[in-house]
Amino acid sequence: MAGTPKVDIPRERILCEAEALFAERGYYAVTIREITKAAHCNLAAVNYHFGNKENLYMEVFRCLWKPRAKRVLARFESILGAKREVTLAGIVRAVAEAFIKGPLSDDERLRHSQLMVREMAKPTEAFEMVVGEVIGPFQQKLADLIRPFMDREMGQVSLLLQIQSIISMVIHFNFARNPVMRITGREYDARFKDELVEHVVQFCLSGLNGVGKGGNP
Amino acid sequence: MAGTPKVDIPRERILCEAEALFAERGYYAVTIREITKAAHCNLAAVNYHFGNKENLYMEVFRCLWKPRAKRVLARFESILGAKREVTLAGIVRAVAEAFIKGPLSDDERLRHSQLMVREMAKPTEAFEMVVGEVIGPFQQKLADLIRPFMDREMGQVSLLLQIQSIISMVIHFNFARNPVMRITGREYDARFKDELVEHVVQFCLSGLNGVGKGGNP
DNA sequence: TTGACATTAAAACATCTGTTTAATACATAT
DNA sequence: ATATGTATTAAACAGATGTTTTAATGTCAA
C-alpha cells in the first residue's frame, strides 16, 4: 500500500493508491480496476466517489499534492525564519533542504515530483491550478527574496531564470533518482541527501568555480 | 505531420509520427490507430513493420532518438574543437549551445527531451540502451574534460554531480518550456534562446553571485 | 507472361477500458 | 421496528485497443 491514510475510508484509500499509480506510470497507463484493487474496494467506487477517472486525477492534486506542496513551502519559511539574518546562502540552503530533505518521506517526495514532471511534460487542468495557486506565487516570493542581492538593473526575466535554475536542480535530484543513482553509483540515503543539499548550495552560490580552483593544468 | 522523413516510405512515416505522439502524450495515451492514421497508412502496418507497439517504441529510440543525440554530441565536440584553448567556460558554453540551440529544430528538441524525461520518470528498456550507449559515455567524457579544472582531491561523485547539475538545467529549459514561458512571459525565439545559453553559462560558472553583487541592502 | 515475394488493405478477434445499472447491505433517526 | 439516505457489490454495457487473419495489390526477376 502506498502511504497510510489517516482515515481508513475507501475514498481516502482510493486517492492514496491512485496517486501512487498515477505518479509511477502516468494517467493512461493506470486503470480504474488497478486502483480499486489496490485500494481493496469495488470497481464502481471510483465513479461513485469521484464521478469519473479524470476527476479522481484532479482530486489527487487538490487533496494530496497541493497540501503537500504547502507543507514543503511551510518548511522553507520555517528554515528561513529560524535564521538571524537572511543571506543569499541562507535562502538557497532553505530551498534545497525543504525540497530535498524536507518534511516528506522518500516515497512522498518521489511521487510528488513525478506527478509534477508529468504535468510539465503535458500540462492538464491540474497544472494550471497548481501553478496558479502554489508554484507561481512561491517563485514570485522567492524572486522578491533574492532581488535585493542582485544587481539593481537586473531584469525580472533574468531574476526568474535564476529561480528556475535552482528549482530545476532540486526537481532533477528528486525525480531523476534513477539516472542519478545509476551514474553516480550512490543510494539515496540520508548521507547522500546531505551531500546533495551541500552540492546544490555550493553550485547555486558559485557554480563550478565554487569547488574548483579555475587553474589550467 | 511531424518532421518530414527523407524517404517517404510507410515505415519511416510511422516512426516519425509515432515519435511525435509518444513524446507529446506518452506510450499508453497513444493508440496504434492514431499513429497509422497520422502516417496515412493501414492499421496493420505497425504490426507488419515492427511486430508490435512496444517494439515500435523501441525502434523510435534506436532509429531516431539515438542518432539525433549523437548529432547533438557531435555539435558539442565541434564547438569545443573550434576553440584555441579549452577553458571551463568554453566547455559549459559548448554544452549549453549544443543542447539549447544546437543542430535540432525546435520541434525536434522538444520531442527529444520529452521522450527522455518520460524515460527518466519511468525507465524502460529504451532507457537502459540510451544511458548505456549515449548518455553515460557522454557524461563520463564531460567529467574527464572538467576534472582538470577541479580540486585535485575532488571525488568522482562530486564531479558527476556537477555534470548532472549542468545537464539538469539544459534539460529543464528544453522540456519545461510551458512553465518557463508561463512564468517568464517569454517566447522561445532565437533571442530568448541566446539569453538562455548566456544564463546557463553564467550560472554554471559562478552561480547566483555571477550576476549579483552579494551586498545586503 | 508467369511466378515468387514483399507490401497494403479490410475485416474480424479477443480482451480490456471507463461507465452505468440494479440490487443489496448498512447505518441512523424517527 | 420502520423508514430513509448512504455506501457497497456484482453484473452488464458500449466502445476502444492491440493483434491476427485473410485477401488483394504491387514489384520485379526469370
Side-chain angles (χ1 to χ4, degrees):
Chain A
M1 229 175 302
T4 315
K6 292 140 201 158
V7 190
D8 193 37
I9 58 176
R11 200 192 129 93
E12 301 298 320
R13 289 204 309 269
I14 290 175
L15 267 178
C16 201
E17 299 293 337
E19 182 186 47
L21 289 166
F22 285 148
E24 194 192 332
R25 306 218 300 275
Y27 182 81
Y28 289 99
V30 176
T31 70
I32 294 184
R33 283 169 176 81
E34 276 181 289
I35 296 170
T36 50
K37 192 172 181 182
H40 298 103
C41 64
N42 190 269
L43 166 65
V46 162
N47 295 77
Y48 177 77
H49 288 286
F50 301 93
N52 54 35
K53 186 185 177 185
E54 204 175 316
N55 197 56
L56 166 60
Y57 181 79
M58 280 302 297
E59 282 292 297
V60 164
F61 276 84
R62 276 191 281 258
C63 301
L64 299 183
W65 200 97
K66 210 175 121 183
R68 197 161 41 212
K70 292 200 166 169
R71 273 203 289 150
V72 174
L73 301 195
R75 173 65 64 94
F76 165 75
E77 307 263 6
S78 151
I79 295 174
L80 206 60
K83 296 190 193 299
R84 206 162 38 77
E85 62 168 342
V86 175
T87 64
L88 198 53
I91 296 170
V92 176
R93 181 174 294 278
V95 172
E97 283 194 359
F99 280 83
I100 294 179
K101 294 161 71 180
L104 308 183
S105 74
D106 272 16
D107 285 343
E108 277 181 306
R109 196 163 22 246
L110 186 56
R111 257 177 283 156
H112 197 72
S113 49
Q114 279 179 331
L115 282 174
M116 193 66 256
V117 167
R118 290 187 189 282
E119 278 297 321
M120 293 203 296
K122 176 129 189 81
T124 72
E125 204 187 321
F127 182 74
E128 288 303 312
M129 184 200 73
V130 155
V131 168
E133 299 182 18
V134 184
I135 297 176
F138 172 66
Q139 296 207 11
Q140 284 297 338
K141 175 177 291 183
L142 212 48
D144 294 340
L145 273 173
I146 289 183
R147 173 166 284 295
F149 299 94
M150 299 289 118
D151 276 344
R152 201 179 306 276
E153 62 268 19
M154 172 181 277
Q156 183 71 2
V157 170
S158 290
L159 189 54
L160 289 170
L161 288 185
Q162 314 276 333
I163 309 286
Q164 290 274 328
S165 301
I166 305 175
I167 302 291
S168 78
M169 286 180 58
V170 296
I171 289 183
H172 177 83
F173 285 122
N174 271 337
F175 108 98
R177 282 191 197 188
N178 243 296
V180 170
M181 285 170 59
R182 185 174 161 142
I183 286 174
T184 62
R186 292 289 296 271
E187 290 293 324
Y188 265 70
D189 50 18
R191 200 166 121 65
F192 186 52
K193 280 187 281 190
D194 282 339
E195 288 180 37
L196 281 179
V197 170
E198 212 53 50
H199 164 76
V200 169
V201 172
Q202 279 293 330
F203 196 92
C204 289
L205 282 186
S206 36
L208 292 167
N209 290 314
V211 281
K213 294 175 303 187
N216 213 335
Chain B
M1 228 175 301
T4 316
K6 293 142 204 161
V7 189
D8 193 36
I9 58 176
R11 201 193 128 93
E12 301 299 321
R13 289 205 308 271
I14 291 175
L15 267 177
C16 200
E17 298 295 337
E19 181 185 47
L21 289 166
F22 285 148
E24 194 192 332
R25 307 219 298 275
Y27 182 81
Y28 289 99
V30 176
T31 70
I32 294 185
R33 282 171 177 81
E34 275 180 291
I35 296 170
T36 50
K37 193 171 180 182
H40 299 104
C41 62
N42 191 268
L43 166 64
V46 161
N47 294 78
Y48 177 77
H49 287 287
F50 301 94
N52 55 34
K53 186 185 178 185
E54 205 176 316
N55 196 57
L56 165 60
Y57 181 78
M58 280 301 297
E59 283 291 298
V60 164
F61 276 84
R62 276 191 281 258
C63 302
L64 298 183
W65 200 98
K66 211 176 121 183
R68 195 160 43 213
K70 292 200 167 169
R71 273 204 288 150
V72 174
L73 301 195
R75 172 66 63 96
F76 166 74
E77 307 263 8
S78 150
I79 295 174
L80 207 60
K83 295 187 193 301
R84 203 162 39 76
E85 63 167 342
V86 176
T87 64
L88 197 52
I91 297 170
V92 175
R93 182 173 295 276
V95 172
E97 284 194 359
F99 280 82
I100 294 179
K101 294 160 71 180
L104 308 184
S105 75
D106 272 16
D107 285 344
E108 278 182 305
R109 196 162 24 245
L110 186 56
R111 258 178 282 156
H112 197 73
S113 49
Q114 279 179 332
L115 283 173
M116 192 67 257
V117 167
R118 290 188 189 282
E119 278 296 321
M120 293 203 297
K122 176 130 189 80
T124 71
E125 205 187 322
F127 181 74
E128 288 302 312
M129 183 200 73
V130 155
V131 169
E133 299 182 19
V134 184
I135 298 176
F138 172 66
Q139 296 206 10
Q140 285 297 340
K141 175 178 290 185
L142 211 49
D144 294 341
L145 272 172
I146 290 182
R147 174 167 283 292
F149 299 95
M150 299 288 118
D151 273 344
R152 201 180 306 275
E153 62 268 20
M154 173 181 277
Q156 183 72 3
V157 170
S158 289
L159 188 55
L160 288 170
L161 288 185
Q162 314 277 331
I163 309 286
Q164 290 273 328
S165 300
I166 305 175
I167 302 290
S168 79
M169 286 180 59
V170 296
I171 289 183
H172 177 82
F173 285 121
N174 271 337
F175 108 97
R177 283 192 195 186
N178 243 295
V180 171
M181 284 169 59
R182 187 176 159 146
I183 287 175
T184 62
R186 292 290 296 272
E187 290 294 324
Y188 265 69
D189 50 18
R191 201 166 120 64
F192 187 52
K193 279 187 282 189
D194 282 338
E195 287 180 38
L196 281 178
V197 169
E198 212 52 51
H199 164 76
V200 169
V201 171
Q202 279 294 329
F203 196 93
C204 288
L205 282 186
S206 35
L208 292 167
N209 290 314
V211 280
K213 294 175 303 188
N216 213 332

